[in-house]
Amino acid sequence: MPKVGIIYNDVKPIASRVALELKEKFTAAGWDVCITTGVGGMLGYSNPESPVCHTPIEGLTPPGFDSETEFAVVLGGDGTVLAAARQVAPCGIPMLTVNTGHMGFLTETYLNQVPQAIEQVMAGKYEIEERVMLTIKVFREDAVIWEALCLNEMVLHREPLTSMCHFEIAVGCHAPVDIAADGVIISTPTGSTAYSLSAGGPVVTPGVPVLQLVPICPHSLASRALVFPDSEPVNIYPVNTPRLVMVVDGNGGCYVLPNDRVQVTRSQYSARFIRLQPPEFFRILREKLGWGLPHIAKPTSVELP
């Protein structure tokens, strides 16, 4: 019996309704269905009473989801997709992402196209696009106190975000650099269109094997975005006396103390997206962010005498 997973945003009534409808449809077709919400992929936020909300990377996989699951239907916006990626990436489960949110930059199809999309996937007529993920770890006295999978970006900043932070950052075996800024972002190509873009970083197409380091409002004309191979690990040492806050994929994180070390590496796991047609990144940039749209009238061609 084939197995399918459904992950949905239970805050959105329409996502909850469609999830139940899909469960009935798959069950009637003879599929084993595992259904859960995207809440299980949330990292949780730290607070002064509980500075570390730590769940091991493999511990976020929902019950019933495993390597035998042929694919998972994800119903929600980009936040739900980010959470679902953390839930299913350790099992290598491909995701068919359905937009029930607003931007939907990471989604493949829309609610009104779900019946046709499901039939196409059940018939095996699709491609899989793999996106790089990061493993984020916080070390305290050489012990891992927090870890998470990351699809978009890791952000380290002060609490609250009102004053300057100082960081010592080592990329691979290169000499450490000192950065003074409101914070720093380590971004994947997928995350290059998210917070990194707003902070002045470049857009990177998904297939390029690089990461980028983007200072947030740096206090130097020399501190600008840096692109480097994703095979290079990154170690960040906060120099500030007050604690810092780390946020992964805009979702949650932990407090980082002055003697802690944040390590960022390319993960052994990747996010696997089902594509119903060959991926066309520039089309998505144009539709979602308006990149490449003409903003002035093109000159008309004039025939020379």
Side-chain angles (χ1 to χ4, degrees), residues 84-99:
R86 286 190 290 270
Q87 290 173 287
V88 303
C91 298
I93 301 173
M95 299 181 295
L96 174 62
T97 52
V98 181
N99 185 20

Side-chain angles (χ1 to χ4, degrees), residues 1-44:
M1 178 183 295
K3 181 190 288 188
V4 65
I6 299 174
I7 301 174
Y8 65 99
N9 184 348
D10 59 343
V11 175
K12 298 180 181 295
I14 189 168
S16 300
R17 176 177 59 80
V18 174
L20 294 178
E21 292 175 354
L22 286 178
K23 180 181 179 181
E24 294 177 359
K25 179 176 180 178
F26 280 117
T27 301
W31 287 62
D32 181 15
V33 182
C34 296
I35 186 169
T36 188
T37 70
V39 173
M42 300 297 181
L43 298 172

Side-chain angles (χ1 to χ4, degrees), residues 35 44 56 59 75 79 86 89 105 115 141 156 192 221 235 243 256 267 290:
I35 186 169
L75 300 159
R86 286 190 290 270
F105 201 92
E141 297 180 353
L156 188 60
S192 70
L221 293 175
N235 285 283
R243 66 192 179 199
V256 177
S267 176

Side-chain angles (χ1 to χ4, degrees), residues 3 7 37 65-67 70 75-76 97 115 136 138 145-146 150 160 194 202 246 283:
K3 181 190 288 188
I7 301 174
T37 70
F65 285 70
D66 53 35
S67 58
E70 296 197 12
L75 300 159
T97 52
I136 314 295
V138 179
I145 64 166
W146 191 89
C150 168
M246 185 172 65
R283 175 183 59 82

